[in-house]
């Protein structure tokens, strides 16, 4: 009356599934410097927490008596597990089984994983390798037919972006549907030298007359600069650590709040270097990341998208243990001016903060939008207006530190002027509709042309206007609320984080995440 025979059969099938594509294919995976999907899952999750679902799904081979003689598992492994004690859904492509192609997959498993993350309201982590269940020419021969393209479960993929944190790790040559799955996330990580990502790989591109290697076509640096990838790392283990760290700043879903960690840094820390870090010469640059290191919780800044839209710095950090979204200008690139790429970067990042209830801290040095023919050809004003819309639509607590410049329409994007002006200006603050440099000659052309000594008159006008541009004149009119000693920035930001914490409200954001 026992069911031991069936349990034994279950264990046998599970063991066959754990062979993946077989010893030869596993060796080939290792020889290529890559882990198998099961090794990846084990290294990503807390030890012993993986609960696999659909382990024995695949294709069985049977003898004349109908008994199983061999088994090839589907090339997608998924289930639940924990990261730092918090539940997650993880799903990974098994490249050892037909290179992750559709003819070795059961697509319902991918859909089930996405749906599980959405309905259980827990983060989704994708380990993408190969086409990610995408097309294969061989499937035409095997199936004896073709089909009109469809995207099963894509509604869950899109909905998850506005519901739960989604991390994709590109861990091989990722093409087609696999690439689309990788970039449809809040954090897309590539491994240098191992990961490549393309719409179509080199053999297909070669048919257009272009011969390129995988790395030349879609290597990590290419996609970091293009903005398709958010982070590149040297090893798979670093990719797993990046996923764990990224999730530590975020809630389980929009129905929760980002968790605080035990503070490890003095809220009253005052760095003397802040007093002289911004040069008096407005044409000289400085290192904004040094300012971040001196004001945020020590070691807490996690930068996202460093090589894309480089005039803007984005990342997650902590203030007195509270997670915050950090937006900052980088004067080393276009003086901190907003480009088409940096505008898109801002939009996506502000949406991340709004989706997961992260207060925003904005370190401002914005001379305006990038100008010139290249900026116009890139549609900078269109993308810039979209970034402004994201800033003005955001409802999360927002604090701006005006470090130096805030000019024009882009400068107005340092915060939403219709909300409480929770902002501080440094004595180096410099703002207005446009910078004086380059504008004086145009504004005073008639007087300068009539002057006996145009250079002397120009110097006189510059001296007069430089006194007017003093931030203290602005403060007299209460058009900037507080000018602070830069060394007080960290204590004031920690106060902001503590004031903002009870203002955060869990729930569905007022608008969907824009990938």
């Amino acid at each position: 009356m026992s069911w031991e025979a069936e349990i034994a059969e279950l264990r046998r099938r599970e063991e066959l599934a754990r062979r993946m594509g077989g010893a030869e294919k596993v060796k080939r995976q290792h020889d290529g410097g890559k882990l198998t999907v099961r090794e990846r899952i084990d290294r990503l999750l807390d030890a012993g927490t993986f609960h696999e679902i659909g382990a024995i799904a695949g294709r069985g081979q049977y003898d004349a008596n109908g008994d199983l003689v061999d088994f090839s598992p589907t090339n997608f492994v998924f289930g639940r597990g924990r990261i730092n004690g918090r539940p997650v859904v993880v799903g990974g492509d098994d490249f050892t089984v037909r290179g992750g192609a559709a003819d070795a997959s059961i697509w319902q498993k991918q859909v089930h994983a996405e749906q599980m993350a959405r309905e259980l309201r827990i983060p989704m982590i994708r380990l993408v390798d190969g086409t990610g269940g995408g097309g294969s020419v061989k499937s035409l021969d095997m199936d004896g037919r073709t089909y009109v393209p469809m995207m099963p479960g894509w509604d869950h993929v899109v909905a998850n972006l506005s519901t739960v944190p989604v991390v994709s790790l590109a861990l091989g040559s990722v093409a087609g549907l696999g690439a689309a799955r990788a970039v449809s996330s809040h954090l897309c990580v590539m491994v240098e030298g191992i990961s490549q990502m393309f719409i179509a790989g080199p053999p297909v591109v070669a048919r257009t007359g272009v011969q390129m290697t995988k790395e030349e076509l879609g290597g990590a640096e290419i996609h970091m600069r293009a903005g398709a990838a958010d982070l590149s790392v040297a090893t798979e283990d670093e990719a797993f650590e990046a996923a764990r760290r990224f999730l530590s700043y975020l809630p389980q879903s929009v129905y929760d709040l980002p968790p605080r960690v035990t503070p490890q840094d003095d809220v009253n820390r005052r760095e003397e270097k802040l007093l002289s870090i911004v040069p008096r010469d407005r044409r000289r640059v400085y290192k904004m990341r040094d300012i971040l290191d001196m004001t945020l919780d020590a070691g807490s800044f996690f930068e996202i998208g460093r090589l894309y839209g480089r005039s803007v710095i984005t990342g997650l950090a902590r203030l007195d243990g509270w997670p915050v979204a950090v937006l900052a200008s980088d004067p080393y690139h276009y003086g901190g001016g907003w480009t088409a790429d940096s505008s898109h970067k801002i939009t996506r990042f502000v949406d991340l903060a709004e989706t997961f209830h992260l207060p925003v801290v904005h370190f401002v040095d914005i001379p305006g939008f990038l100008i010139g023919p290249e900026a116009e050809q890139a549609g900078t004003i269109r993308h810039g207006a979209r970034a402004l819309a994201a800033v003005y639509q955001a409802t999360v607590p927002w604090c701006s530190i005006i470090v130096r410049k805030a000019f024009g329409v882009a400068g107005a994007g340092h915060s939403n002027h219709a909300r409480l002006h929770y902002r501080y200006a440094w004595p180096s603050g410099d703002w207005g509709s446009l910078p004086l440099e380059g504008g004086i000659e145009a504004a005073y052309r008639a007087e300068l042309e009539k002057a006996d000594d145009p250079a002397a008159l120009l110097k006189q006008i510059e001296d007069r206007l430089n006194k007017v541009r003093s931030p203290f004149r602005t403060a007299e009119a209460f058009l900037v609320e507080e000018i602070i000693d830069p060394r007080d920035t960290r204590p004031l930001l920690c106060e902001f984080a503590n004031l903002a914490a009870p203002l955060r409200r869990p729930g569905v954001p007022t608008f969907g995440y824009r990938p």
Side-chain angles (χ1 to χ4, degrees):
M1 299 296 293
S2 170
W3 292 89
E4 287 185 8
E6 284 76 11
I7 297 302
E9 176 67 9
L10 172 62
R11 298 295 175 246
R12 176 188 175 218
R13 288 173 179 258
E14 290 172 341
E15 184 59 34
L16 289 171
R18 281 192 285 270
R19 297 183 314 176
M20 297 174 283
E24 182 181 340
K25 294 292 180 66
V26 169
K27 182 179 183 301
R28 187 181 302 176
Q29 183 87 347
H30 288 159
D31 289 346
K34 300 195 301 180
L35 300 170
T36 66
V37 64
R38 293 186 178 278
E39 291 168 336
R40 288 166 174 166
I41 291 171
D42 286 344
R43 294 199 189 188
L44 171 68
L45 300 178
D46 296 351
T49 65
F50 183 53
H51 177 88
E52 187 174 356
I53 299 170
I56 62 173
R59 294 180 179 177
Q61 296 180 24
Y62 295 87
D63 61 18
N65 296 320
D67 295 324
L68 182 72
V69 294
D70 202 1
F71 176 78
S72 177
T74 180
N75 55 16
F76 185 76
V77 178
F78 87 103
R80 296 184 298 274
R82 291 183 177 272
I83 288 180
N84 297 324
R86 298 166 62 187
V88 298
V89 174
V90 59
D93 302 316
D94 185 354
F95 193 77
T96 70
V97 181
R98 287 283 301 120
D103 54 49
S105 71
I106 295 177
W107 59 261
Q108 290 91 338
K109 290 182 73 175
Q110 284 188 6
V111 175
H112 195 98
E114 299 287 341
Q115 186 177 14
M116 178 183 295
R118 180 183 178 185
E119 296 194 13
L120 293 183
R121 301 177 180 177
I122 55 179
M124 176 75 213
I125 304 176
R126 307 185 189 115
L127 310 177
V128 189
D129 193 355
T131 63
S136 166
V137 171
K138 192 172 183 180
S139 65
L140 305 182
D141 194 29
M142 295 175 64
D143 295 339
R145 65 180 184 279
T146 186
Y147 61 91
V148 177
M150 60 177 179
M151 299 283 276
W154 204 251
D155 52 335
H156 294 302
V157 171
V158 174
N160 276 344
L161 290 174
S162 297
T163 308
V164 297
V166 179
V167 176
S168 292
L169 308 182
L171 302 174
S173 295
V174 177
L177 177 59
R181 289 172 58 217
V183 301
S184 297
S185 54
H186 301 111
L187 183 74
C188 175
V189 182
M190 296 183 70
V191 181
E192 297 155 10
I194 290 178
S195 304
Q196 300 85 31
M197 190 161 61
F198 1 77
I199 298 169
V204 179
V205 172
R207 299 299 296 270
T208 69
V210 179
Q211 299 286 340
M212 303 183 80
T213 66
K214 291 190 294 184
E215 197 67 22
E216 290 170 338
L217 181 61
E221 184 171 352
I222 288 170
H223 286 296
M224 283 291 292
R225 295 187 181 278
D230 300 303
L231 187 66
S232 65
V233 295
T235 66
E236 290 195 45
D237 282 328
E238 288 182 37
F240 306 145
E241 177 55 31
R244 289 190 290 264
R245 188 175 177 196
F246 178 74
L247 291 175
S248 73
Y249 297 93
L250 301 178
Q252 290 293 90
S253 75
V254 297
Y255 300 97
D256 301 304
L257 292 175
R260 185 188 192 188
V261 301
T262 302
Q264 301 292 327
D265 197 358
D266 183 4
V267 297
N268 295 312
R269 177 164 56 85
R270 299 173 82 252
E271 299 281 357
E272 288 298 319
K273 292 181 180 179
L274 291 172
L275 193 58
S276 57
I277 194 167
V278 177
R280 282 189 171 275
D281 184 346
R282 295 181 178 91
R283 296 169 296 180
R284 291 182 57 199
V285 297
Y286 58 92
K287 295 181 179 179
M288 180 64 82
R289 288 178 181 83
D290 286 352
I291 294 177
L292 302 184
D293 289 341
M294 287 186 276
T295 54
L296 304 169
D297 285 5
S300 72
F301 184 55
F302 179 83
E303 187 167 356
I304 299 169
R306 182 164 188 153
L307 297 185
Y308 175 68
R310 299 182 72 181
S311 61
V312 170
I313 300 167
T314 55
L316 305 178
R318 291 187 175 89
L319 287 165
D320 197 23
W322 295 106
V324 295
V326 178
L327 185 62
S329 308
D330 189 346
Y332 270 84
H333 300 279
Y334 303 110
W338 285 12
T339 64
D341 285 350
S342 63
S343 295
H344 180 68
K345 182 177 179 178
I346 291 164
T347 301
R348 184 165 173 257
F349 186 70
V350 172
D351 285 356
L352 176 70
E354 180 72 10
T355 300
F356 295 113
H357 324 303
L358 290 166
V360 175
V361 176
H362 190 183
F363 292 82
V364 182
D365 189 353
I366 306 171
F369 288 119
L370 182 67
I371 62 173
E374 292 183 359
E376 304 302 343
Q377 292 163 14
T380 300
I381 193 63
R382 164 72 70 182
H383 298 293
R386 194 164 182 258
L388 287 169
V391 171
Y392 272 67
Q393 285 179 312
T395 63
V396 292
W398 190 292
C399 178
S400 293
I401 305 294
I402 304 179
V403 175
R404 188 158 65 177
K405 297 176 183 177
F407 284 101
V409 177
H414 74 273
S415 62
N416 180 347
H417 80 277
R419 298 179 64 185
L420 172 69
H421 290 176
Y422 201 113
R423 62 186 177 187
Y424 300 100
W426 285 12
S428 48
D430 187 25
W431 40 64
S433 57
L434 74 167
L436 293 182
E437 292 79 10
I440 295 177
E441 290 91 339
Y444 292 90
R445 180 179 300 158
E447 292 92 328
L448 291 169
E449 289 176 349
K450 294 176 182 178
D452 294 333
D453 188 346
L457 178 58
L458 178 61
K459 179 66 166 56
Q460 180 184 354
I461 295 171
E462 286 178 341
D463 290 345
R464 184 174 73 247
L465 292 180
N466 276 330
K467 292 184 181 297
V468 173
R469 82 194 295 182
S470 165
F472 297 109
R473 295 284 188 98
T474 309
E476 286 177 4
F478 198 60
L479 294 176
V480 67
E481 296 73 37
E482 293 187 62
I483 298 175
I484 64 169
D485 182 332
R487 293 169 293 189
D488 292 331
T489 302
R490 173 169 169 77
L492 289 169
L493 285 179
C494 288
E495 179 193 32
F496 164 73
N498 281 283
L499 288 173
L503 302 178
R504 304 171 304 162
R505 292 288 181 268
V508 179
T510 54
F511 52 87
Y513 178 84
R514 290 166 276 210

